[in-house]
Amino acid sequence: MVKGIERDIGEIEGLAIEQRLGRLDGAGLRFGLVVARFNDGLTDELARQAVGALEACGTVLKAVELVRVPGAYEVPVVLEKMAASGQYDGLIALGVVVEGETQHAQMIIDTTGKMLLEISCRHGVPVINEIVGARSWEQAEARCLGGEQSRGWYAGLAAVETAQVLRRVR
């Protein structure tokens, strides 16, 4: 489990009702990552950080499957199949879309985000969407290369916590 987390995440102390909260404990959980190859200098780092966070939470590497696709737009179809399989406690979508001179980037961010949310709700498995949208290369680097502050690290932690929450509410 990640150091420094000694109580349930988000616990409201003094609240006299049962709280169903997640822990950053990935032991016994299985995760799938779908990573876009486009902008691979950044997506590779997002993947490294996400896997590092999963491992820091106690997930064994044999319980993590990583699948590569050409770009962010191809991520949802693969995650749909993975979610439908029932083999995963959590899924992570990783990609980087940098705005250009057209509206193409915004279209990719909007449509993939909508599809990932639908997949998550349809199959009851958390799909953590870290297809990073940025206005510039510098913004993208800041979000992807920040070590434990990166969106990849966040994705790993969010996948574990949300999977644990779902186990408690089922």
Side-chain angles (χ1 to χ4, degrees), residues 28-31 87-91 124-126 159 162-163 166-167 170:
L29 299 179
R30 182 161 167 76
F31 296 96
Q87 296 179 28
Y88 303 93
D89 296 292
L91 297 165
V125 61
T162 307
L166 283 176
R167 282 187 163 189
R170 288 185 179 152

Side-chain angles (χ1 to χ4, degrees), residues 25-29 57-60 160 164 167:
D25 181 3
L29 299 179
C57 291
T59 304
V60 296
V160 171
Q164 288 289 1
R167 282 187 163 189

Side-chain angles (χ1 to χ4, degrees), residues 103-122:
Q103 294 299 312
H104 184 71
Q106 192 60 52
M107 182 271 303
I108 291 173
I109 293 296
D110 291 346
T111 56
T112 57
K114 182 177 187 275
M115 288 307 303
L116 295 174
L117 179 58
E118 288 176 7
I119 292 165
S120 185
C121 292
R122 179 172 38 256

